[in-house]
Amino acid sequence: MIHLIYNTGIWFYVVAIRVVSLFNEKAKLWLRGRKDVLSKIETWRKQNPGKLVWVHCASLGEFEQGRPVMEAIKRERPHVKIMLTFFSPSGYEVRKNYSGADFICYLLADTPANARRFVEIVQPAAALIIKYEYWANYFFECKRQQIPLYIISGILRPEQRFFGLFSGFWKKVLKCVTHFFVQNVQTQSLLQQHGFSNVTFTGDTRFDRVSEIARTANEIHEIIQFKGNGFCVLGGSTWEEDEKILMMSSRNPDSHLDAKPRKVAKVILVPHELIETKLSTLSTQLPNSIRWSQRAGKDLRTYDVLIVDTIGLLSSIYRYADMALIGGGFGKGIHNILEAAVWGVPVVFGPNYQKFDEAKQLVERGGAFAIRSSEEFNRLLERCMTDESFRTKAGEIAMGFVTESTGATERVMRQLMGFFD
């Protein structure tokens, strides 16, 4: 009965996407990218036989977690092909040309027919699901066709559907998993409490990814020119609420204080969504600002605000920040804070961070700070600008946290290596 309700829900979801696509570009991409995808996979698979691993990522964040494992597979077993699938356009459209995978496409909606046909065509030797997205029919089909299925950097919480009112159905889904490689001991204990012994605490592969980025990143001379010798605040993957806070701070960060008002030396803003209408509005609202795409021939030293309107620079730009405001904390949840922390940058975000273990740990240690208002942000900003020892210590805590947490990829691969022979 629950399975029927689940399948009906998937059907309604697809119908809703079709309706929304009439006026929403992201929904339109979701549909367009899935057109004839099975026939494309079938053609490619016939031309590329041999051992293949299917890696699925919901979106861009999960891709960054899966990337170290994919690259380790290619490094250790170059004969193994990798098929990479995405659910969200924000993942696929950004990484559809990623060279570390042999074939990249959208994953079709989780209907029984789609799941059966996909697994039959692809015939993966194994499936690696990154972090989450427990699509029931794909999991059932992998089990039916005896495809080993692994969860990489998994994380679960007691309030999730797997342990609630209809947990019987969802535990059947979990039982399709060959092995769970999980981020924290809480997830390990939770699974063990519910009868799952096939679980290993390996840590989060994102730590390995951000460490690799920091190790190989090149200098960005335009950012160096823009920053100069001043204090620099960076807003990473920001949404509207985050941007409002940065706008107020860039104009007059300490107007609430008794101190003489002064501006933040520099602000770099990297919005989560690069929509032209939004970018144009930001340019108008932020005084003395310039967009990254319009920097040619300009003396960046003369601007107070830099709006980065391109994809792929954020993780490298964090190195130039003296303080980073990570977006999403006033919405559904924060974005990747590790990309900033690895550079020894104090991290700030909104109040909605409880689902993120790394954020909770960094707040407890003093390397990250949660705020609820622009007033709280401004007080923290003032302290970071005037108390160098405070800022330096917070940054060192953040960097140390990342350094001590690396190694998840190696721990995962150690257990998977035998399978790839």
Side-chain angles (χ1 to χ4, degrees):
M1 180 62 180
I2 302 301
H3 197 177
L4 176 61
I5 294 173
Y6 174 85
N7 289 336
T8 303
I10 295 292
W11 183 84
F12 274 113
Y13 180 84
V14 174
V15 171
I17 288 288
R18 292 186 181 280
V19 173
V20 173
S21 69
L22 298 175
F23 49 85
N24 182 280
E25 184 60 30
K26 191 172 182 179
K28 194 178 297 181
L29 285 172
W30 194 95
L31 288 174
R32 188 187 304 150
R34 287 166 168 80
K35 186 177 180 181
D36 299 325
V37 69
L38 286 179
S39 61
K40 294 174 184 177
I41 294 172
E42 187 170 24
T43 299
W44 177 84
R45 193 67 173 112
K46 287 178 180 178
Q47 297 170 352
N48 296 272
K51 180 171 274 191
L52 178 146
V53 173
W54 166 37
V55 180
H56 176 67
C57 305
S59 191
L60 194 57
E62 292 70 41
F63 167 81
E64 291 299 325
Q65 286 178 297
R67 183 170 180 166
V69 175
M70 288 187 281
E71 293 178 354
I73 293 171
K74 281 296 186 182
R75 185 169 57 250
E76 301 294 334
R77 298 293 186 270
H79 66 282
V80 175
K81 294 178 175 59
I82 294 176
M83 169 173 283
L84 172 62
T85 61
F86 287 96
F87 184 78
S88 168
S90 59
Y92 174 79
E93 296 300 329
V94 175
R95 293 301 181 187
K96 60 186 176 183
N97 296 316
Y98 170 59
S99 61
D102 299 279
F103 191 89
I104 305 172
C105 64
Y106 281 99
L107 184 68
L108 285 172
D110 186 31
T111 66
N114 284 343
R116 181 174 61 255
R117 188 71 180 127
F118 175 86
V119 177
E120 287 175 350
I121 292 173
V122 175
Q123 280 299 295
L128 308 183
I129 309 300
I130 310 301
K131 188 178 179 180
Y132 69 113
E133 287 222 321
Y134 292 78
W135 295 117
N137 291 310
Y138 281 101
F139 278 47
F140 291 150
E141 197 58 37
C142 282
K143 185 173 183 179
R144 188 183 73 82
Q145 297 194 37
Q146 299 182 322
I147 308 297
L149 188 152
Y150 301 92
I151 301 296
I152 308 295
S153 290
I155 188 165
L156 295 170
R157 299 181 302 278
E159 66 271 17
Q160 288 180 299
R161 60 185 180 272
F162 308 103
F163 314 108
L165 185 60
F166 301 110
S167 61
F169 170 75
W170 287 108
K171 283 180 180 175
K172 288 181 181 178
V173 175
L174 294 181
K175 287 178 181 178
C176 296
V177 177
T178 304
H179 202 89
F180 298 86
F181 297 104
V182 300
Q183 292 186 30
N184 55 32
V185 293
Q186 291 85 357
T187 299
Q188 182 184 40
S189 297
L190 182 62
L191 285 167
Q192 289 173 342
Q193 288 168 17
H194 288 270
F196 294 91
S197 59
N198 54 332
V199 52
T200 302
F201 164 51
T202 53
D204 189 345
T205 52
R206 282 183 304 165
F207 289 96
D208 300 321
R209 175 60 187 151
V210 297
S211 295
E212 176 66 13
I213 291 173
R215 189 181 65 82
T216 59
N218 295 318
E219 293 278 7
I220 306 176
H221 297 290
E222 295 98 328
I223 301 295
I224 295 173
Q225 182 192 57
F226 170 77
K227 178 182 177 179
N229 296 320
F231 190 94
C232 181
V233 178
L234 192 155
S237 295
T238 56
W239 295 84
E240 185 176 355
E241 288 300 316
D242 312 297
E243 289 152 6
K244 286 179 181 177
I245 288 175
L246 283 174
M247 285 180 195
M248 294 178 66
S249 299
S250 67
R251 289 168 183 153
N252 195 353
D254 40 64
S255 59
H256 65 292
L257 301 172
D258 293 332
K260 182 179 178 180
R262 55 186 167 77
K263 286 187 177 182
V264 173
K266 298 287 180 175
V267 172
I268 301 176
L269 183 61
V270 189
H272 181 69
E273 293 185 326
L274 302 182
I275 301 171
E276 181 56 37
T277 53
K278 177 181 178 178
L279 293 168
S280 297
T281 300
L282 284 173
S283 297
T284 302
Q285 293 175 335
L286 287 165
N288 198 29
S289 64
I290 184 171
R291 288 170 59 170
W292 177 260
S293 61
Q294 299 169 356
R295 71 191 185 281
K298 305 290 178 62
D299 185 353
L300 297 182
R301 294 172 297 181
T302 63
Y303 295 92
D304 293 326
V305 181
L306 175 62
I307 302 171
V308 179
D309 55 356
T310 189
I311 293 171
L313 288 178
L314 178 58
S315 59
S316 296
I317 293 178
Y318 276 123
R319 72 191 298 178
Y320 304 105
D322 296 297
M323 176 178 173
L325 173 64
I326 310 300
F330 292 93
K332 293 182 179 179
I334 56 174
H335 294 290
N336 192 341
I337 68 171
L338 302 180
E339 290 180 335
V342 71
W343 294 107
V345 178
V347 179
V348 188
F349 38 76
N352 298 332
Y353 69 94
Q354 296 301 325
K355 294 181 180 179
F356 301 87
D357 191 58
E358 69 278 10
K360 291 190 292 183
Q361 289 194 52
L362 261 186
V363 168
E364 291 171 0
R365 297 184 184 202
F369 308 90
I371 58 166
R372 295 183 177 274
S373 65
S374 58
E375 288 77 17
E376 289 185 12
F377 178 78
N378 285 336
R379 284 194 290 270
L380 183 60
L381 173 60
E382 173 67 13
R383 187 172 183 187
C384 283
M385 292 180 71
T386 58
D387 188 342
E388 185 175 351
S389 62
F390 168 78
R391 177 170 54 85
T392 300
K393 183 178 179 180
E396 289 174 347
I397 291 171
M399 181 186 288
F401 174 66
V402 175
T403 301
E404 72 181 44
S405 302
T406 57
T409 303
E410 181 182 351
R411 289 188 284 272
V412 169
M413 290 301 297
R414 196 180 300 143
Q415 297 199 43
L416 289 181
M417 285 302 289
F419 163 77
F420 293 122
D421 290 329

